[in-house]
Amino acid sequence: MQARNIDAKTLPPPPGIIGSLRAGFDVTAGNIAAILFPAALDVLLWLGPRLSVEQLVQPFLKEVGDVAANGGLKPEDISSALTMYHQFFQQFNLLAILRTFPIGIFSLMSGRLPAQTPLGMPSILEISSPVRLIGLVFLLTLIGWTLGGLYFRWVAAFATPGDLPGARRTVIQTLLYSLIWLFISWTLGLPAVFLIYIIFVFNALIGEIVLLILGFISVWLVVPIFFSPHGMFVKKQNAFGSILSSFQLTRFTLPTSSLFVLTTLLFGFGLNFLWSIPSDNSWLALIGILGHAFITTALLASSFVYYHDMSAWLQTVLTRLRGDVPTQPA
């Protein structure tokens, strides 16, 4: 069986990156209420109470310091490291767990951990029980995944045409999707980190080569992982089908899709430096919060637009190519 030659000029052009970005920003501007999700989370982390674990980790840090001292480390190095950890846990807010991955509400303040606000020092609620800490981590993660799935569904609703999955199905598939990636990260990520550590202990050069190889592999995986949840909201797929659909899309559209993902990430992370300019104790930080909420929501909407249009284009191309292959005579 032989396929006839296909003239590339007869195939429709793939969706453009600039067009998808423009469409995403346009629909977000017309549905500005969607930025309430990330804006509300950032305002909570900025002006709300802080759930602190400082008292809980103080004994642990003291034991680490004693072990390090008995191990022969320099006292100044131990003191410097402990001071850094003390400062981190003094500012750490357990509510930042509400910014979940891979599906979650975008947040500017979860990475800044503000210590002061225009209203003064935030109220601090100490967590002194390990059992309570575990329970809060589980509850906040569950809430973050749930709200993140509803946020993605809302943005997909105005960014793409067609029926969307119901809220209940969205929450269930979001939780399943997140648990899949959590399982993958623990079963593959931790052994990989341990293996790299062992390699570095024996030979640093081989370790650097392994890191370089893993870096190339991770670059290839960024694109399918980036689009892996989109099928649940655009095509009403389940979590497994959405992940597989993303890898199939990337297989045929890798150059263009890689450029879109790179543009989106650079645009989003680059503007984060601008939104972070106002100090935490200035009301100007509210401008940064609103700007970050709008840009990240618009970029998410753009990704849904691109995924929808690229999936439709790929289906059209594959259908046309299959139609140009003559059936084998009996």
Side-chain angles (χ1 to χ4, degrees):
M1 179 171 59
Q2 295 181 347
R4 297 197 300 265
N5 293 330
I6 305 300
D7 187 0
K9 295 181 180 180
T10 64
L11 298 177
I17 297 175
I18 301 301
S20 298
L21 291 173
R22 182 172 60 248
F25 276 80
D26 289 342
V27 296
T28 303
N31 299 270
I32 199 65
I35 73 172
L36 290 178
F37 268 91
L41 177 58
D42 274 337
V43 170
L44 173 64
L45 296 177
W46 181 36
L47 301 178
R50 183 191 308 162
L51 296 182
S52 176
V53 296
E54 183 181 6
Q55 291 184 0
L56 189 62
V57 301
Q58 286 294 347
F60 175 74
L61 292 179
K62 185 178 183 302
E63 291 183 5
V64 170
D66 295 339
V67 172
N70 294 332
L73 296 178
K74 295 181 180 179
E76 56 270 20
D77 293 338
I78 299 175
S79 177
S80 176
L82 291 179
T83 300
M84 180 184 65
Y85 285 119
H86 280 302
Q87 292 177 349
F88 172 78
F89 285 110
Q90 284 177 352
Q91 296 182 340
F92 178 73
N93 186 358
L94 195 65
L95 288 176
I97 296 178
L98 288 171
R99 171 54 176 119
T100 53
F101 296 91
I103 294 179
I105 301 173
F106 302 115
S107 174
L108 180 67
M109 290 296 174
S110 62
R112 294 174 60 172
L113 300 176
Q116 294 185 349
T117 72
L119 302 177
M121 294 291 296
S123 58
I124 300 177
L125 304 177
E126 287 287 348
I127 302 172
S128 56
S129 169
V131 176
R132 185 174 299 177
L133 173 62
I134 295 174
L136 283 174
V137 170
F138 175 78
L139 179 61
L140 292 175
T141 302
L142 193 64
I143 294 174
W145 281 340
T146 301
L147 294 179
L150 295 177
Y151 169 61
F152 272 49
R153 179 180 180 272
W154 188 2
V155 176
F158 63 75
T160 58
D163 297 331
L164 293 177
R168 181 179 178 181
R169 175 182 170 84
T170 296
V171 172
I172 293 175
Q173 293 303 321
T174 298
L175 296 180
L176 178 59
Y177 171 88
S178 301
L179 289 174
I180 290 173
W181 283 114
L182 182 64
F183 174 79
I184 292 175
S185 63
W186 278 91
T187 56
L188 297 181
L190 288 181
V193 172
F194 180 74
L195 178 61
I196 293 173
Y197 173 76
I198 296 298
I199 294 176
F200 265 98
V201 169
F202 286 97
N203 193 306
L205 178 60
I206 297 178
E208 292 178 357
I209 294 175
V210 172
L211 276 180
L212 183 63
I213 296 175
L214 291 178
F216 281 115
I217 296 176
S218 63
V219 168
W220 181 84
L221 290 176
V222 165
V223 180
I225 291 175
F226 182 89
F227 289 110
S228 59
H230 287 56
M232 296 189 300
F233 306 98
V234 177
K235 300 180 179 180
K236 300 174 67 172
Q237 296 175 325
N238 58 38
F240 293 99
S242 181
I243 295 174
L244 294 177
S245 178
S246 174
F247 277 88
Q248 182 184 25
L249 177 73
T250 304
R251 174 188 173 189
F252 293 99
T253 66
L254 184 59
T256 305
S257 297
S258 299
L259 186 58
F260 176 84
V261 172
L262 179 61
T263 302
T264 301
L265 295 179
L266 289 179
F267 195 29
F269 285 114
L271 285 177
N272 280 350
F273 291 101
L274 175 63
W275 310 134
S276 302
I277 290 177
S279 60
D280 296 334
N281 58 357
S282 171
W283 285 111
L284 292 177
L286 183 60
I287 299 177
I289 289 176
L290 295 176
H292 171 268
F294 176 79
I295 293 298
T296 52
T297 302
L299 291 176
L300 178 61
S302 301
S303 70
F304 280 121
V305 172
Y306 178 85
Y307 180 87
H308 174 270
D309 294 346
M310 186 60 78
S311 297
W313 172 84
L314 181 59
Q315 184 63 36
T316 300
V317 170
L318 292 179
T319 301
R320 187 171 299 183
L321 291 177
R322 293 191 188 104
D324 284 333
V325 178
T327 57
Q328 188 174 10

